[in-house]
Amino acid sequence: MRPIRFATAALATAALSLPLAATSAAADAPSDLRTAPRAKDQHERLRSAAPDGFYVGTAVAGGGHHLEQDYPDPFTSDREYRKILGQQFNSVSAENQMKWEFIHPERDRYDFEAADAIADFADRHRQVVRGHTLLWHSQNPEWLEQGDFSKEELRSILKEHITTVVGRYAGRIQQWDVANEIFDEQGNLRAEENIWIRELGPEIIADAFRWAHEADPEALLFFNDYGVEDDNAKSDAYYALTQELIAEGVPVHGFSAQAHLSTRYGFPGGLEENLRRFDELGLETAITELDVRMDLPESGVPTDAQLEQQADYYQRTLSACLAVEDCNSFTIWGFTDKYSWVPVFFEGEGSATVMTEDFARKPAFHALYNTLLDAKKKDCKKHWKGWKKDWRR
């Protein structure tokens, strides 16, 4: 085996270490539970509103399409962005920085600089980290996709990668998306697109979970995909595969729906029921990449009605997760339109996050905050009643 070189130069800790301070208030929104801004809006923090044991997170902008934009890396260069990132969330996910093309750019070299910076930031701000992702058909480096490897070499490459990356962050990453987007919309394995499944067969999926578990026995290991919010062919395929793997003793711990939604389409009304059926298998569930894009008017500014519909989608997604016992992780895919991936990949659509480009809070932000706060109050009342009942005994 060739020697492995690690690029681990740390980003300046002082530049990324910021105090928890308040942000500016958002504009007024319609006054109901989903969207009403409360008094002293600038002090509202999603992480503080969340019930105990519930993680509300965001993707950390960087890598990917950001490299082609006319701004420097958001996470390392935008102080206001980092301040809000630390204030609002108790969970973070690397948007691109832990994907193969960034963390393993050459066969014998890993580059952990960006991923380390995110993990260090999370440590300083008392946040957990979701690792994303280990086995995927997309964003693989050229050396891997165009290499002439035997099956034995490919298997060794994947095992080494999972062991090295997961092992490096053992004890620091709460959840890993082990297998990402392995089924198509018809519920068939992506056998042609996915180099691992194509060359090594579907059995490699179970091996990936086993290797990840060996590298960090404490991390929760997930299947993750888009288009699985409802009970459909794709989510059925995950349901069947998960049952098979559990029966075989494979360490699969969770199933997560990305939830990249659009107001072009109706809300996935079966979300709660779909998450619950995985929960009943004994799995954790999660929402991992929520955003709600919309068709923008010529002005580029969404209407009040569009913002209200978007807030409704955010609120209903969060409520579905909160209603399922072991749905304990809820992540939005970026919190500001300034760095959203949506306009780059969906022409004519945008305004998909909970804050504008200048970090003003949209009705969707208040929808999440008020729903979390309401759930926290109910949770406190339930515990209070239980304590009083026990005390009286």
Side-chain angles (χ1 to χ4, degrees), residues 62-68 96-97 101-102 139:
H65 76 276
H66 300 288
L67 302 179
E68 303 169 0
N96 292 288
Q97 299 94 323
E101 66 176 339
F102 293 98
Q139 291 188 253

Short mmCIF file of all heavy atoms in Angstrom, two decimals, residues 62-68 96-97 101-102 139:
data_model
loop_
_atom_site.label_atom_id
_atom_site.label_comp_id
_atom_site.label_asym_id
_atom_site.label_seq_id
_atom_site.Cartn_x
_atom_site.Cartn_y
_atom_site.Cartn_z
N GLY A 62 -19.44 26.07 1.92
CA GLY A 62 -18.05 25.98 1.50
C GLY A 62 -17.86 24.84 0.52
O GLY A 62 -18.61 23.87 0.53
N GLY A 63 -16.83 24.95 -0.33
CA GLY A 63 -16.59 23.93 -1.34
C GLY A 63 -17.67 23.95 -2.41
O GLY A 63 -18.47 24.88 -2.50
N GLY A 64 -17.72 22.93 -3.24
CA GLY A 64 -18.78 22.81 -4.24
C GLY A 64 -18.94 24.04 -5.11
O GLY A 64 -17.95 24.63 -5.57
N HIS A 65 -20.19 24.46 -5.34
CA HIS A 65 -20.45 25.58 -6.25
C HIS A 65 -19.87 26.89 -5.74
O HIS A 65 -19.68 27.83 -6.52
CB HIS A 65 -21.96 25.74 -6.44
CG HIS A 65 -22.66 26.37 -5.29
ND1 HIS A 65 -23.07 25.66 -4.18
CD2 HIS A 65 -23.01 27.66 -5.05
CE1 HIS A 65 -23.65 26.48 -3.32
NE2 HIS A 65 -23.63 27.70 -3.82
N HIS A 66 -19.58 26.96 -4.45
CA HIS A 66 -19.03 28.20 -3.89
C HIS A 66 -17.69 28.56 -4.54
O HIS A 66 -17.34 29.74 -4.64
CB HIS A 66 -18.86 28.07 -2.38
CG HIS A 66 -20.14 27.81 -1.65
ND1 HIS A 66 -21.11 28.77 -1.48
CD2 HIS A 66 -20.62 26.69 -1.07
CE1 HIS A 66 -22.13 28.25 -0.82
NE2 HIS A 66 -21.86 27.00 -0.56
N LEU A 67 -16.94 27.57 -4.98
CA LEU A 67 -15.64 27.82 -5.58
C LEU A 67 -15.76 28.59 -6.89
O LEU A 67 -14.79 29.23 -7.34
CB LEU A 67 -14.91 26.50 -5.83
CG LEU A 67 -14.67 25.62 -4.60
CD1 LEU A 67 -13.95 24.34 -5.01
CD2 LEU A 67 -13.88 26.36 -3.54
N GLU A 68 -16.94 28.55 -7.52
CA GLU A 68 -17.14 29.21 -8.80
C GLU A 68 -17.78 30.59 -8.66
O GLU A 68 -18.01 31.27 -9.65
CB GLU A 68 -18.04 28.33 -9.69
CG GLU A 68 -17.48 26.94 -9.92
CD GLU A 68 -18.49 26.01 -10.57
OE1 GLU A 68 -19.63 26.46 -10.83
OE2 GLU A 68 -18.15 24.83 -10.82
N ASN A 96 -20.01 20.57 1.73
CA ASN A 96 -19.18 19.85 0.75
C ASN A 96 -17.85 19.38 1.31
O ASN A 96 -17.20 18.50 0.74
CB ASN A 96 -18.89 20.76 -0.46
CG ASN A 96 -20.13 21.05 -1.29
OD1 ASN A 96 -20.64 20.19 -1.99
ND2 ASN A 96 -20.60 22.28 -1.21
N GLN A 97 -17.43 19.95 2.42
CA GLN A 97 -16.04 19.82 2.86
C GLN A 97 -15.64 18.43 3.32
O GLN A 97 -14.46 18.16 3.49
CB GLN A 97 -15.75 20.84 3.97
CG GLN A 97 -15.94 22.28 3.54
CD GLN A 97 -17.33 22.82 3.87
OE1 GLN A 97 -18.33 22.09 3.77
NE2 GLN A 97 -17.41 24.07 4.27
N GLU A 101 -14.27 14.44 -3.00
CA GLU A 101 -13.41 15.26 -3.85
C GLU A 101 -12.65 16.32 -3.06
O GLU A 101 -11.62 16.82 -3.52
CB GLU A 101 -14.23 15.92 -4.96
CG GLU A 101 -15.24 16.95 -4.49
CD GLU A 101 -15.94 17.62 -5.66
OE1 GLU A 101 -15.40 17.61 -6.78
OE2 GLU A 101 -17.05 18.16 -5.46
N PHE A 102 -13.14 16.66 -1.86
CA PHE A 102 -12.48 17.67 -1.05
C PHE A 102 -11.59 17.08 0.03
O PHE A 102 -10.51 17.59 0.31
CB PHE A 102 -13.52 18.60 -0.41
CG PHE A 102 -14.25 19.43 -1.42
CD1 PHE A 102 -15.51 19.05 -1.88
CD2 PHE A 102 -13.67 20.57 -1.95
CE1 PHE A 102 -16.17 19.80 -2.83
CE2 PHE A 102 -14.33 21.33 -2.91
CZ PHE A 102 -15.58 20.94 -3.35
N GLN A 139 -19.69 13.71 -6.82
CA GLN A 139 -18.60 14.48 -6.21
C GLN A 139 -17.46 13.59 -5.71
O GLN A 139 -16.88 13.81 -4.65
CB GLN A 139 -19.12 15.38 -5.09
CG GLN A 139 -19.98 16.53 -5.62
CD GLN A 139 -20.34 17.55 -4.57
OE1 GLN A 139 -21.49 17.60 -4.13
NE2 GLN A 139 -19.39 18.38 -4.16
#
